[in-house]
Amino acid sequence: MPHRERHRSERVGWLRAAVLGADDGIVSTASLVLGVAAAGSPRHEILLAGISGLVAGSLSMAAGEYVSVSSQADTERADLATEKMELTKQRPAEEKELAAIYVQRGLDPELARTVALQLMAHDALAAHARDELGITEQMTARPLQAAGASAMTFAVGAALPLLVVILAPLSSLAFTVSAASLLCLAGLGALAARTGGASPWLGSRRVAFWGALAMAATAGIGKLFGTAAS
Ligand SMILES: [Zn+2]
């Protein structure tokens, strides 16, 4: 097998997060808008529901991301503190531990010990963080940054169906909102799949399918309860 010139996984990480946030924004806001529109509401009510959805969704994404990334950061910090203490208190045991990890990964015992000693002479904590705990510097969790990013990508996605609500004629709102949303979902799915080296067609179909399902479900509910209430 020929060696690929560039590895994709690093680039895919943040792009996938951004696309997922935008997908979420599009699907949930478009669904909300379609549900309210299907109940026969006037444009300003549809818009109000959509804007509330954008704000609520962005904030809840940010809060969820903040909490999850913070707790990950807490765990990393605690792990590193323990590791640091162990390195000062029982260095020989830590040398053996690291060497054993390299043996497990395929080095012979003698070489593993040499590698462990040299890496620990260079930066003992970094070597243990990376090879024992799996914590690297690029991965170190940043809660506020993660929260801001997911709120923003959600809001960008949510803005799309809202824009359609403002611009499209009221009579064809259901059609234009779902068509525009599905088109964008398919585009985002293709983009994410392409960047990840997968088939764009498959990626766009997958995302569009779930989006269509969500929109159909809320439109159905809007129709049901809208007519039941009036
Ligand atoms: Zn260790």
Side-chain angles (χ1 to χ4, degrees):
M1 201 179 149
H3 188 264
R4 275 269 191 76
E5 66 281 82
R6 279 298 217 82
H7 292 283
R8 298 170 184 270
S9 33
E10 210 168 294
R11 190 161 41 137
V12 167
W14 68 262
L15 185 87
R16 179 176 293 145
V19 167
L20 278 181
D23 278 353
D24 261 4
I26 294 174
V27 171
S28 65
T29 311
S31 302
L32 198 58
V33 159
L34 285 173
V36 180
S41 315
R43 192 193 299 267
H44 71 271
E45 278 179 15
I46 301 172
L47 200 58
L48 181 65
I51 292 170
S52 308
L54 183 152
V55 174
S58 300
L59 290 180
S60 97
M61 291 281 285
E65 194 69 10
Y66 184 85
V67 169
S68 121
V69 176
S70 293
S71 70
Q72 190 195 331
D74 290 344
T75 311
E76 283 182 7
R77 212 172 300 127
D79 276 348
L80 284 176
T82 313
E83 197 61 37
K84 203 170 184 173
M85 197 191 66
E86 283 171 357
L87 279 169
T88 47
K89 278 192 173 168
Q90 37 175 323
R91 191 146 179 127
E94 287 295 313
E95 286 165 357
K96 270 193 200 127
E97 181 188 47
L98 195 60
I101 289 169
Y102 296 140
V103 169
Q104 224 173 27
R105 290 185 189 171
L107 298 190
D108 61 60
E110 209 173 316
L111 181 58
R113 177 154 179 82
T114 313
V115 170
L117 288 180
Q118 282 193 15
L119 285 178
M120 282 177 71
H122 175 66
D123 186 342
L125 187 60
H128 281 258
R130 183 184 59 237
D131 292 329
E132 185 191 343
L133 306 173
I135 301 172
T136 60
E137 222 162 307
Q138 303 98 296
M139 273 172 56
T140 303
R142 293 186 193 84
L144 268 181
Q145 205 178 348
S150 51
M152 211 166 67
T153 51
F154 184 96
V156 167
L160 169 90
L162 290 186
L163 214 63
V164 179
V165 171
I166 294 169
L167 297 174
L170 194 59
S171 53
S172 63
L173 206 62
F175 174 74
T176 41
V177 167
S178 35
S181 302
L182 285 177
L183 215 65
C184 283
L185 284 175
L188 283 175
L191 173 79
R194 232 189 102 80
T195 316
S199 149
W201 172 236
L202 196 69
S204 67
R205 226 176 23 178
R206 204 178 282 152
V207 183
F209 169 76
W210 289 105
L213 200 68
M215 287 184 243
T218 48
I221 285 177
K223 202 119 203 152
L224 193 71
F225 286 85
T227 44
S230 59

